[in-house]
């Protein structure tokens, strides 16, 4: 049955108006209606009619429980591409798009043998974006969750990216062959301390996978420690490790890479001006 797209927008706003800021409610409502019907914000203002999406009442009910729209629809945007998502994959964020930009700066057009591995790939958004935007690179990815690996493989197939996605626990990196080396290791590992959960939004803590979010309060750098050890063994000379980090632990994370085998260790800020990335180049 046809309905005004603007009416769908109003229904979404009504369902979530008490859960988010006014600006977020506005953005979510128009984006969700566009993804469900193809009707843009302008179409809504022009009074365009659309078919009411399937299971619309269920969609509204799920949104009203604080469930992120990306999980309700099973997809989200990353670098202008739509990635399939499931409850075992984090929702891609704009800051992680910046991490991809940093990696792209290190993959020169003539670097045809550049090997990149994305550790903890989740939906595959980093690895797949790199494979599509730097086709001269050989991109692979590791993931510990079978459900996330399956989603990443589906995304690679649907987006036409050549990426090898393996089930691999980073804490078992020493089982890899000593001859296996990479030019770039990139990762957005878990880095949120459990003590920080009380300050986070409900739609994050109750719906996004804790396995991909949280680390022990007693050792919040546990993933960065193991990644540093892995990189010191498996990065080629002059290779790079590039990491998204907890903004509260920038100096501490950077300090892990101050040993003799590292050079050009940098702490970089995101577009909000917050400490968000550490990149380091292997010296020997």
């Amino acid at each position: 049955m046809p309905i005004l797209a603007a009416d769908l927008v109003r229904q979404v706003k009504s369902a979530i108006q008490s859960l988010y800021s006014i600006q977020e409610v506005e953005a979510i409502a128009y984006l969700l209606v566009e993804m469900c019907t193809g009707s843009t914000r302008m179409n809504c203002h022009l009074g365009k009619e659309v078919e009411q999406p399937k299971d619309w009442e269920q969609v509204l009910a799920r949104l009203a429980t604080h469930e992120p729209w990306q999980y309700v629809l099973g997809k989200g945007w990353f670098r202008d591409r739509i990635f399939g998502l499931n409850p075992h994959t984090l929702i891609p964020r704009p800051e992680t798009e910046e991490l991809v930009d940093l990696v792209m700066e290190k993959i020169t057009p003539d670097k045809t043998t550049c090997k990149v591995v994305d550790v903890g790939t989740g939906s595959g958004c980093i690895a797949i974006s790199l494979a599509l935007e730097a086709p001269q690179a050989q991109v692979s990815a590791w993931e510990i969750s079978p459900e996330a690996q399956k989603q990443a493989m589906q995304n690679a197939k649907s987006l036409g990216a050549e990426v090898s996605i393996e089930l691999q626990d980073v804490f078992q990196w020493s089982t890899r062959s000593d001859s296996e080396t990479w030019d770039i290791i990139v990762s957005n590992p878990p880095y949120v301390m459990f003590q920080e959960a009380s300050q986070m939004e409900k739609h994050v803590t109750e719906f996004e996978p804790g396995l991909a979010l949280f680390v022990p309060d007693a050792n919040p750098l546990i993933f960065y420690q193991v990644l540093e050890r892995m990189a010191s063994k498996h990065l080629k000379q002059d290779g790079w490790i590039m990491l998204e980090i907890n903004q509260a632990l920038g100096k501490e994370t950077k300090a892990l890479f101050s040993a003799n085998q590292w050079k050009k260790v940098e702490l970089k800020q995101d577009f909000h001006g917050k400490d968000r990335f550490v990149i380091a180049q292997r010296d020997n």
Side-chain angles (χ1 to χ4, degrees), residues 17 29 38 47 54 74-75 119 125 156 163 181 193 221 227 260:
Q17 62 185 353
K54 183 181 178 182
K75 56 188 176 182
V119 179
C125 60
V163 182
T181 57
M193 292 179 279
L221 299 181
L227 284 163
N260 293 335

Side-chain angles (χ1 to χ4, degrees), residues 76-91:
W77 287 96
F78 186 81
R79 294 180 76 85
D80 296 325
R81 300 181 182 92
I82 293 179
F83 283 78
L85 304 172
N86 67 38
H88 303 278
T89 61
L90 285 181
I91 295 170

Side-chain angles (χ1 to χ4, degrees), residues 6-68:
D7 286 341
L8 295 180
V9 170
R10 282 191 283 272
Q11 290 173 17
V12 176
K13 288 181 178 179
S14 177
I16 64 174
Q17 62 185 353
S18 64
L19 308 181
Y20 303 93
S21 69
I22 295 174
Q23 293 84 357
E24 287 177 301
V25 168
E26 183 91 354
I28 290 170
Y30 281 105
L31 183 55
L32 188 135
V33 170
E34 182 172 357
M35 293 193 77
C36 288
T37 70
S39 184
T40 65
R41 183 185 292 244
M42 180 61 71
N43 293 148
C44 294
H45 293 320
L46 292 176
K48 180 179 179 179
E49 285 192 335
V50 296
E51 288 296 320
Q52 180 168 303
K54 183 181 178 182
D55 301 323
W56 184 244
E57 295 301 324
Q58 183 181 0
V59 168
L60 295 176
R62 290 174 65 181
L63 290 171
T65 68
H66 249 119
E67 185 173 0

Side-chain angles (χ1 to χ4, degrees), residues 14 18 60 77 85 105 128 130 134 136 161 164 166 175 205 208 214 248 270 276:
S14 177
S18 64
L60 295 176
W77 287 96
L85 304 172
E105 291 174 6
I128 292 168
L130 291 171
Q136 72 274 29
S164 168
E166 301 179 58
T175 62
T205 57
E208 298 208 47
F214 294 109
D270 61 21
R276 185 62 63 195

Side-chain angles (χ1 to χ4, degrees), residues 105-153:
E105 291 174 6
K106 305 301 180 188
I107 306 176
T108 57
D110 60 340
K111 206 165 188 178
T112 55
T113 58
C114 183
K115 293 181 64 179
V116 183
V117 63
D118 172 28
V119 179
T121 199
S123 65
C125 60
I126 293 175
I128 292 168
S129 297
L130 291 171
L132 292 173
E133 296 176 39
Q136 72 274 29
Q138 299 175 36
V139 183
S140 59
W142 294 0
E143 175 53 49
I144 192 173
S145 163
E147 295 87 355
Q149 181 209 24
K150 182 178 179 180
Q151 182 68 75
M153 292 173 70

Side-chain angles (χ1 to χ4, degrees), residues 216-240:
D217 294 342
N219 187 10
L221 299 181
I222 184 169
F223 280 91
Y224 300 93
Q225 292 163 353
V226 72
L227 284 163
E228 190 275 339
R229 291 196 294 272
M230 169 193 159
S232 65
K233 177 80 172 181
H234 287 280
L235 262 186
K236 297 177 183 177
Q237 186 171 350
D238 294 327
W240 291 89

Side-chain angles (χ1 to χ4, degrees), residues 241-259:
I241 182 167
M242 315 188 77
L243 306 167
E244 187 169 328
I245 67 168
N246 186 324
Q247 66 185 57
L249 299 170
K251 292 185 176 71
E252 294 85 346
T253 309
K254 180 182 178 183
L256 294 176
F257 295 89
S258 298

